[in-house]
Amino acid sequence: MFLYNICIAIYAQLIAFVGLWNNKARLWAAGRKEIFERMAAAISPSDKVVWIHVASLGEFEQGRPVIEQIKKEHPEYKVLLTFFSPSGYEIRKNYNGADYIFYLPIDTPGNAARFLDIAHPEIAIFVKYEFWLNYLYKLKERGIRTLLISSIFRSGSIFFRGYGFYWRKALDTFEYMFVQNQESRDLLHSIGFDNVIIAGDTRFDRVADIAKAAKKIDIVERFKQGEKLFVAGSTWGPDEDILQELINDNPQIKFVVAPHEMNEGRINKIITSTKQGAIRYTKCDDNTTLDSYQVLILDTVGILSSVYGYATWSYIGGGFGVGIHNTLEAATFGLPIAFGPNYQKFKEARDMVVLGAATKVESAADLKAWFAPLRDDAELLQKASTTAKDYTKRNQGATSLIMKIAFENNN
C-alpha cells in the first residue's frame, strides 16, 4: 500500500501541474478544493445516506437507474453521488435525481476516513470498475455494506495476475459483486470469490425508461412526413464522410444526423455536400417548410434518444475513433444498427453483431451494402428490428435485482 499511496500523491501533483494549461485537469483539481467543507455544509449527520460512485458519464448512466429506483422505493434515503472525472461531473452536477453531488476526493487514507466521517453512508455502491483501495479498505473496516454493480472482468486484468494481491484484497471488501456476464463470474470464482451475481447491465433498464418517456418532437414529425427515417447518432467526421455517400445515393430516404460535437465546419460540410438539401434543427420553427430537405442536422442536445423513436434504421458514431457511442438507445426502439470498426470493447455491440441486429462497417461501400437489403426487403428489416428489440428486453432487470439485495437488510 505504501507504493500505491505514493503513486496516488504523485498523480494528484501531476494533475495540478497539467492543469496549468489543460482545462480538464484544471477542473479536476479545482473541483476538489475545500471539498470536505462543502460536503459537511450539505450533508446532515442525521441523514440516512446511500453513496454511489461513478468514474464518468458512461458509468453514471449505469448507476442512474439504481439512483432513481432508490428515490422511488426508499425516499427515506439521501443519495450522495460522486464522480472521478470532470467529463461526468461537469455535465451532471445539477442532476436532480441525487441529493448531493461531488467529486471524489483523491484516494489517500486520510481523505477516505474524512470522507466517510462526513458522508456516513449506510450503503456504498461502486459502478463498473472504480477500485480505490483506501476507500474500499475503510468501508470494510467500518462495516459499511459495499456493492459493485454492472461490472465486467477480463482475464488480462490485474486481479488475475501474480502481482495483483492488493487488488484481489480490494475485491474482498464487496458484499456482493453484480457482474454483466458468465465470463466475469467464472474469472472471479477462479480466484475464490463466490459472492458474485450475474445481473447484467443496468443500462438496459435505463434505455427502457428512456423509450417509455420519449418525447413528441413536432419538427421531426413534420420532417419525416410519415415516411421511413434513417437516424445517425453521435457522429464524428469519419462517420459523416461515409454517411454522406449513403445520403446522396438514397435521395428518396430522409436522414437525421446528430453530430457528437457541434463543430461548425463539419455541420456546414454536411449542408453543402447534401445534394437534396440539409437544414439545421435550430433553424427550424413552426413556419419552416421541411418538404424540400433530405437531411435534418440535430444541432442541439437532449432529444436524440426520442428521435430514435421516429427511425427505421440507425447508425451510431465513434467507431472510427476510440469506440462507439450508445447503441442501446437505438436498439431499444428496434432499430437495425451499423457502426465503425472499433466496437470490440462494448459487450452489447458484440452481442448484437452475433445476433444480426448490428453490423460493423469500414467504408461507404460497406455501409451501402448493409443498408440496401434492409431498405428493400421488408421481411429482413422486420427480423433485424425484432432481434434488436428482443435483445434489449431480454437483458432488462438488473436494477430490480440489485435493489432487492441491496436493501433486503436495510429495511
Side-chain angles (χ1 to χ4, degrees):
M1 282 297 291
F2 176 76
L3 182 59
Y4 173 82
N5 288 330
I6 289 294
C7 291
I8 288 291
I10 293 172
Y11 178 81
Q13 292 299 315
L14 283 174
I15 289 290
F17 176 68
V18 173
L20 295 174
W21 66 85
N22 181 280
N23 185 57
K24 186 175 180 180
R26 186 160 51 251
L27 289 169
W28 190 98
R32 289 167 167 81
K33 288 182 178 178
E34 300 181 348
I35 190 159
F36 294 116
E37 290 79 5
R38 288 186 282 118
M39 286 181 60
I43 302 171
S44 168
S46 62
D47 286 344
K48 290 168 63 71
V49 176
V50 177
W51 170 32
I52 296 182
H53 176 67
V54 302
S56 192
L57 195 57
E59 293 73 32
F60 166 78
E61 289 299 325
Q62 291 177 301
R64 183 171 181 165
V66 176
I67 294 171
E68 294 180 356
Q69 205 63 22
I70 290 170
K71 300 305 292 183
K72 181 179 178 180
E73 294 182 9
H74 297 279
E76 70 274 17
Y77 282 97
K78 301 286 189 180
V79 173
L80 166 63
L81 172 65
T82 57
F83 287 88
F84 180 76
S85 169
S87 57
Y89 176 83
E90 296 300 327
I91 292 173
R92 293 300 183 189
K93 61 186 176 183
N94 296 316
Y95 167 62
N96 61 13
D99 298 281
Y100 314 115
I101 303 175
F102 294 100
Y103 279 103
L104 182 72
I106 194 72
D107 184 30
T108 67
N111 281 354
R114 191 174 179 187
F115 178 92
L116 293 176
D117 287 343
I118 297 170
H120 56 84
E122 292 187 13
I123 304 172
I125 299 174
F126 286 67
V127 179
K128 196 172 183 179
Y129 56 57
E130 283 284 280
F131 303 100
W132 296 110
L133 301 188
N134 288 307
Y135 280 101
L136 290 172
Y137 292 169
K138 293 293 183 184
L139 285 163
K140 180 79 169 180
E141 284 177 12
R142 298 183 184 210
I144 298 170
R145 299 183 65 212
T146 306
L147 310 176
L148 178 67
I149 68 170
S150 288
S151 191
I152 282 188
F153 290 85
R154 297 180 176 86
S155 58
S157 64
I158 193 170
F159 305 101
F160 312 106
R161 296 182 180 273
Y163 52 82
F165 169 76
Y166 283 112
W167 300 95
R168 290 190 290 274
K169 186 180 175 184
L171 294 181
D172 194 45
T173 65
F174 293 108
E175 180 180 1
Y176 292 103
M177 290 180 277
F178 295 89
V179 297
Q180 293 189 30
N181 56 17
Q182 183 68 43
E183 178 187 4
S184 296
R185 185 193 179 283
D186 291 344
L187 284 168
L188 290 168
H189 182 75
S190 73
I191 55 173
F193 290 99
D194 295 319
N195 58 332
V196 184
I197 299 169
I198 303 173
D201 188 342
T202 49
R203 286 183 304 155
F204 286 93
D205 301 319
R206 171 65 183 149
V207 296
D209 290 340
I210 288 172
K212 290 175 186 174
K215 305 170 186 173
K216 180 179 181 293
I217 305 173
D218 178 66
I219 289 171
V220 176
E221 287 191 1
R222 291 193 291 115
F223 173 75
K224 180 181 176 180
Q225 294 183 319
E227 300 296 325
K228 292 178 179 178
L229 180 68
F230 189 115
V231 174
S234 300
T235 60
W236 295 83
D239 304 304
E240 291 152 13
D241 288 341
I242 67 170
L243 281 161
Q244 196 65 64
E245 286 197 36
L246 185 72
I247 290 166
N248 287 334
D249 281 2
N250 291 273
Q252 76 282 20
I253 302 294
K254 295 262 188 171
F255 288 79
V256 170
V257 178
H260 185 69
E261 294 181 336
M262 299 304 123
N263 181 289
E264 290 299 316
R266 285 177 23 221
I267 289 173
N268 288 329
K269 184 179 178 181
I270 296 170
I271 293 171
T272 58
S273 300
T274 301
K275 295 177 182 177
Q276 297 297 319
I279 187 171
R280 300 169 68 133
Y281 181 90
T282 55
K283 298 295 183 183
C284 300
D285 59 29
D286 292 343
N287 299 316
T288 304
T289 302
L290 297 170
D291 300 7
S292 60
Y293 296 102
Q294 186 193 3
V295 174
L296 178 65
I297 301 169
L298 208 64
D299 59 338
T300 186
V301 296
I303 64 172
L304 176 59
S305 57
S306 293
V307 174
Y308 283 128
Y310 290 95
T312 306
W313 315 273
S314 64
Y315 178 94
I316 306 300
F320 290 94
V322 296
I324 57 174
H325 294 286
N326 192 333
T327 55
L328 294 180
E329 287 185 352
T332 196
F333 286 105
L335 305 184
I337 300 167
F339 40 67
N342 296 333
Y343 71 94
Q344 291 293 338
K345 292 188 297 184
F346 304 90
K347 178 182 181 296
E348 64 276 10
R350 299 196 307 272
D351 288 347
M352 287 192 286
V353 168
V354 171
L355 293 169
T359 298
K360 173 196 75 171
V361 298
E362 298 189 9
S363 65
D366 287 349
L367 184 59
K368 287 186 278 189
W370 165 79
F371 178 66
L374 292 169
R375 177 196 62 202
D376 300 335
D377 187 333
E379 186 176 339
L380 181 65
L381 174 62
Q382 183 59 52
K383 181 180 179 182
S385 175
T386 300
T387 300
K389 195 172 188 67
D390 286 351
Y391 173 71
T392 61
K393 284 184 176 180
R394 192 165 60 247
N395 284 281
Q396 292 168 21
T399 301
S400 59
L401 179 59
I402 291 165
M403 289 294 298
K404 180 178 183 297
I405 293 174
F407 289 89
E408 64 182 0
N409 297 323
N410 280 73
N411 294 328

